[in-house]
Amino acid sequence: MKAMVYRGPYKVRVEEKDIPPIEHPNDAIVRVSLAAICGSDLHLYHGMMPDTRVGMTFGHEFIGVVEDVGSSVQNLKRGDRVMVPFNVYCGSCWYCARGLYSNCHNVNPNATAVGGIYGYSHTCGGYDGGQAEYVRVPFADVGPALIPEWMDDEDAVLLTDALSTGYFGAQLGDIVEGDTVVVFGAGPVGLFAAKSSWLMGAGRVIVIDHLDYRLEKARTFASAETYNFSEYDDIVVHLKKITDYLGADVVIDAVGAEADGNFLQHVTAAKFKLQGGSPIALNWAIDSVRKGGTVSVMGAYGPMFSAVKFGDAMNKGLTLRMNQCPVKRQWPRLFEHIRNGYLKPSDIVTHRIPLEHIAEGYHMFSSKLDGCIKTLIVPGS
Amino acid sequence: MAYTAHTNKQAETSDELRARIPGWGADLDPKDRPSVPRLKFDPQASGAHWDFPERQKEKWPRERSIEHKFLTPVFGTSSPPKGLSGMLRKYAYARFSEGRAAHWLILLAADRVDAIESHLASFATGRPDNPITETGIRTEFRRSGFPTRFAPGRVDRAHTWIDPILVAGPWILAAGSTAAVARAVLRRSS
Ligand SMILES: NC(=O)c1ccc[n+]([C@@H]2O[C@H](COP(=O)([O-])OP(=O)(O)OC[C@H]3O[C@@H](n4cnc5c(N)ncnc54)[C@H](O)[C@@H]3O)[C@@H](O)[C@H]2O)c1
Ligand SMILES: [Zn+2]
Ligand SMILES: [Zn+2]
């Protein structure tokens, strides 16, 4: 089969690999029909995530058709069209029994601090991912779900990560009616978080980025008020001004480890890997939220230390909430919202490219070229 | 305003927002949201029909965090450790917990070693690494890539120049040192 393969920082290519075998009785092998590149993949691509091995296939956002199932699989059969949450999880450990699917303890030998994620380095379990023609899906009776007849494939693939994560991010903000919500980052996660904030009753939704084309999308897709931080000497002061010097009730970090806007922070983290991640957006979040407010962190950071302004968070009495998204927990409600027409996730897709061109897909998304917001990968096209 | 007890932070009323934004307030009740409460004990909900999963076969000694009691029953099987990078990785796992900076720094160093080992090894195969195709740089010219870098407001231009150095630097170093060694060998043999 053809699969995307990591060749070292900034380098990927398509290689011929064996179709993955069944390794466990509850495995399924899925033929991928549509995959996506996620902002999280960029942290791997740039070599920021420890134990990212040459030869690994990335990709944790994908849908496909069941090709084969292990002997204990009861809920799926060959030919089923399935959407697969980005989390690999067992469904039965202490965490899974309580709905913390992204924190499963039975699937990642390499680290206890993070659960299993498809195609996301050995630090997240060493699973090959879905930017390939076939992928191994462990715990087939737990993770995957049948794609409803009425759902578009492009909506389904975005439900496996970006949409569910944005929606989860808004939930962790504990938004109450009338709240002012600031979202840092107008990528897929930020756009969905902004849109979801309205569903939870926000009174005002503000999105911050430095890419005008993405802020334009935040206005049209997410009905948000937007500011380009590069136009302000100090975006935190600007946010204070426009919230009557109170600050926002809730701030969502949808940027993560490669945040820009401060040369030193960005370069030490993203280029030279001296920090787990560049905490620029996170520090702006801590500074621009009101005292007693909530910061919801969806942006991903590496396992090493980052220069976070913890003292301010403490003195301000903030609530900091964060996690990898337990994707499937969001689905029943999100299916309803899509069906009701409240959410149309595929509106943010800008590029659809064949697997063979994936190196260009990574370069374009990484450098934010050609108006790129979300790129889908179509194997076998 | 923050200096008095009340502040008027909302420009639009809830009714106006409901009329303007489809779905506004559909999840208004903070208690009725999918991830609330954070811990919701319901072992049946996941579809798992086991207490503890069957164990996947361990085909090679699988490195694991020493913060785990045992090898987890299921694990990924991509890219087994090999070469010098593999030795570094195994050492980082066997010796240091996730709480130790050394654990992560050794793993990061192993990643850099892995890239060099793999580039060198690729030259002994029918498919050597190709920095042009593998960096996807062609998209700068094929799509409207390059010009979009100059959109106003982009702050990443301040450090874009570092990328080619990070990518090409090791190649230039490798080429330079190979040339130096070759020259030394030639000089000695002449
Ligand atoms: N928690 C989870 O489960 C989960 C799931 C998916 C993605 N993520 C993480 O969410 C983050 C965003 O993902 P994405 O797919 O939207 O990525 P993306 O790269 O498309 O979006 C990031 C955006 O942030 C902007 N940005 C950079 N610095 C900024 C700053 N200081 N302030 C405001 N905006 C800034 C960038 O211009 C870009 O538009 C990533 O870190 C990703 O790893 C987390
Ligand atoms: Zn992701
Ligand atoms: Zn589990």
Side-chain angles (χ1 to χ4, degrees), chain B residues 141-155:
Chain B
F141 315 104
R142 285 234 291 231
R143 299 182 175 79
S144 72
F146 194 61
T148 51
R149 288 185 181 273
F150 300 95
R154 292 190 63 146
V155 302

Side-chain angles (χ1 to χ4, degrees), chain A residues 2 9 32 75 82 96 101 111 113 133 148 185 189 216 232 236 246 253-254 306 315 356:
Chain A
K2 290 196 168 38
V32 178
N75 300 340
V82 287
C96 287
Y101 302 147
E133 289 180 313
V189 172
E216 163 76 29
Y232 299 89
V236 171
L246 186 66
D253 165 4
S306 304
N315 286 325
E356 279 71 15

Side-chain angles (χ1 to χ4, degrees), chain A residues 38-40 42-43 86 120 161 165 184-190 208-211 214 229 254-261 280-281 284 298-300 323-325 365 368 373-374:
Chain A
C38 172
S40 302
L42 298 179
H43 312 328
F86 76 78
Y120 209 68
D161 182 354
T165 300
F184 283 100
V189 172
I208 310 291
D209 204 303
H210 67 108
L211 299 171
R214 288 184 169 211
F229 68 76
V255 180
E258 298 180 44
D260 225 321
I280 303 166
W284 285 351
M298 286 300 102
N323 203 351
Q324 295 284 348
C325 175
F365 183 45
K368 311 294 191 249
I373 296 176
K374 190 72 178 177

